[in-house]
Amino acid sequence: MSKRVVVVGGGISGMQTALSLKSLGFEPLILEQSRQLGGKVADWHLLFPSFTPAEEVTVPLIRAVRQNGILVRLGCKVVSIESRRVILCSGERIDCDAVVLCSGSTLFDATIKEEYGYGIYDNVYTSADIEKMMNNECVATASGAAPERIAILHCVGSRDEKVCQRHCSKVCCITGVKQAIELKKLFPKAEIFNFYMDIRMFGPGYEELYRQAQIDYNIHFVRGRISEASPLMDGRVQIKAEDTLTGRPLRMSVDMLVLMIGMRANDDNAFLSSSSGAELAPNGFFKSRNSFVDNVLSTKDGIFLAGTVSSPKTIGQSLNEATTVAHRVAEYLNYGN
C-alpha cells in the first residue's frame, strides 16, 4: 500500500506538494481550513513583476489536483500534530506516515497601527484591499470618485519593533511598485507617492520594474516613514512624514492611503509546535533544521515545511520548495524511516 502524507494547507504550496508527492507514488491528503483551494494567491489580481493574472497560477493547480484524484478535505482545521497523526478541531484523528506543513502565513492586521487610521478613517486601505478592488474592477475613493493623489506606505507590520515584527516580509516593496503602476494605468492623471524605509528589489526583473515605475510612469519615491494620518473634512487623508534624504518634514493631503501590509506567523503555529515538538524561530515562523541544505525539514522527524510557514517567500520560491519537499519526504519514507 502507498504511504499517506498529510499536507496541511491547500494554497499553492500545499497543492504543488501534493501533486509532487502523487507523482512519486504516495497518497497525499490535503487538509484546508477554508472552503476553497488556492490560499491567499487566489485573492490576488496581478502578480509581480510580470503582471501575470493570479488565476493563471491557481486555476491550473486546482485543476491538476482534481484530475489526479488527490484527496482534499475542506473546512478542516488542524489543531494538533502528533507522531504520525494529525488531530482536527472536530476531534477526528487522521493517521499518516508523514506531515508537510504548508499552512502559510497571516497578513498583518493594519488596525494595530492606529496612527494610520485603518478601519477608522475613510480612504485608508491595505494592499490586500487594493487587490480585491482591482479584481472587482471598482477601484475608487469612498465617495466613488477617481483619486487624484495616492500615497503608498511600505513596511506596515514589517521591520517594526513596536509591533514585535522585526523581520522583512520580502515582497512588500515590489508589491508597492506593482500596485503603483496598476493605479497609474487606471488613473493616468493621479500623482502617486511611495514612502519607504529602504527599497529592496532583490528578484529577477524587480529593479527594472522599479526604474520603469519612475521613468515611464512618473511615480514618486520618498525615503521616509509616515508618522501619522488624520481625516480632513472633505474625506481626504492628511499625512505627516519626513523626507530623510533631505531632512525636511513633509505634509500632504491624499485621496487614498494604501498600507503595504507584511506577513506574520500564524497564531496556530504555537499550538502546532507544542503538540508536535517542531520548533519555532523567534519570529514565530517554523524553524528549519538547516537554512541551507535542510530548509524544508522541521526540527522534528517526520514533519516537513514548504512555503511561507517557515518565512516570507515569493510565489516562485514557495512552488520550488513544494517540489523539493516532496522528494525529501520520499527519501525519509523510503530510506530513513
Side-chain angles (χ1 to χ4, degrees), residues 18 28 38 52 69 95 130 146 154 227 232 242 255 259 274 289 293 319:
T52 300
D95 294 325
I130 295 298
H154 292 228
S227 58
L232 296 174
E242 179 185 4
D255 300 297
L259 309 177
S274 62
R289 187 168 302 181
V293 295
L319 292 173

Side-chain angles (χ1 to χ4, degrees), residues 224-238:
R225 289 291 293 254
I226 295 174
S227 58
E228 66 176 277
S230 56
L232 296 174
M233 293 294 294
D234 58 4
R236 291 181 299 164
V237 179
Q238 181 173 269

Side-chain angles (χ1 to χ4, degrees), residues 50 54 69 79 101 139 171 199 230 247 283 294-295 303 308 329:
S50 58
V79 296
L101 290 177
V139 182
V171 300
I199 289 288
S230 56
N283 58 12
D294 291 327
N295 61 306
I303 299 176
T308 60
V329 170

Side-chain angles (χ1 to χ4, degrees), residues 152-224:
I152 297 174
L153 176 60
H154 292 228
C155 294
V156 178
S158 296
R159 305 170 65 196
D160 191 338
E161 294 275 353
K162 293 181 180 179
V163 294
C164 301
Q165 299 294 313
R166 301 175 182 87
H167 60 275
C168 172
S169 289
K170 198 168 192 175
V171 300
C172 303
C173 286
I174 187 63
T175 299
V177 174
K178 178 199 76 96
Q179 287 192 349
I181 292 176
E182 287 184 275
L183 290 167
K184 189 68 173 181
K185 288 179 179 178
L186 284 174
F187 309 108
K189 295 182 180 180
E191 288 186 291
I192 301 178
F193 297 82
N194 273 258
F195 289 85
Y196 67 94
M197 289 193 291
D198 298 291
I199 289 288
R200 299 183 171 187
M201 297 286 112
F202 68 91
Y206 293 14
E207 184 69 26
E208 291 85 347
L209 194 66
Y210 171 50
R211 290 176 58 83
Q212 185 183 10
Q214 298 172 80
I215 296 171
D216 296 342
Y217 294 96
N218 196 31
I219 292 166
H220 308 288
F221 288 84
V222 181
R223 190 176 187 276

Side-chain angles (χ1 to χ4, degrees), residues 248-273:
R248 296 178 179 178
L250 182 151
R251 178 182 297 181
M252 70 167 66
S253 59
V254 298
D255 300 297
M256 297 177 72
L257 172 59
V258 182
L259 309 177
M260 291 290 114
I261 50 175
M263 302 181 205
R264 69 173 182 84
N266 293 332
D267 294 332
D268 294 345
N269 286 2
F271 299 104
L272 297 180
S273 173

